[in-house]
Amino acid sequence: MSVLFVSDLHLCPSRPVLTGLFCDFLREVVPGNDALYLLGDIFEYWAGDDDLTAPFNAQICSALKACDLPKFVLPGNRDFLFGADFCAATGARLLPDEVVHDIAGTPTLLLHGDTLCTDDTAYQTFRQQVRGQAWRETFLAQPLAARKQQIEDLRRRSEEQKQMKSMSIMDVHPQAVADAFHRHGVSAMIHGHTHRLNTHQHQVDGHSCTRYVLGDWHDTPEGGNYLACDTHGWQRKTWRP
Ligand code: MN
């Protein structure tokens, strides 16, 4: 029994080294494991499933499809527009925003992590808007080129705003973490989003709880971090070709 977790790859055509690293990971590390979890922001952005015709997206999706094991994908804040065609192209199952899976006998909460950053109220307001069904339908009804342009504009503005936000605003809020453990009645959680690779212990409802934060890949193209759970327990690993 061995399950792998990655997140925040931020794959895009302008990062060929990263793309190669991830495709090698899929070919050389993933086979032989029992499941692969991708916990959001696999792509730098996803404008809609009709963008599957783009050669870069097709390349990544077919590399995923070639991995013959159960694959699970959580929506990130950049690729929440995955739909049925993405699932068909990759063979992955799309998970809801928060889900508890049994990982080696431990009920474990899986989420991207952006919902835990509750101090960033501007982002949470934005998120609430764009994750609604009405926004999704209206947005996806626009031509692909127009959607991509809007996303590019948003990304540029978001980068500008990030420079002005304090580091603590962009991290998870302890109360949101405690609430998530409490809400799901679990003592283990895995998320990404903050790119702050670490393992944290929390006391919630008198229980000791563990929170595994995955790191990103795009700032460390020399090696990709992942979390593995197997018979030896939880292990942090770095994939270097
Ligand atoms: Mn994210």
Side-chain angles (χ1 to χ4, degrees), residues 204-218:
V204 181
D205 302 332
H207 299 290
S208 183
C209 299
T210 308
R211 178 169 63 95
Y212 300 94
V213 186
L214 301 168
D216 68 289
W217 280 42
H218 68 97

Side-chain angles (χ1 to χ4, degrees), residues 8 10 40-41 76-78 112 114 192-195:
D8 301 282
H10 295 267
D41 289 358
N77 54 301
R78 299 185 171 246
H112 178 58
D114 53 329
H193 181 66
T194 61
H195 302 185

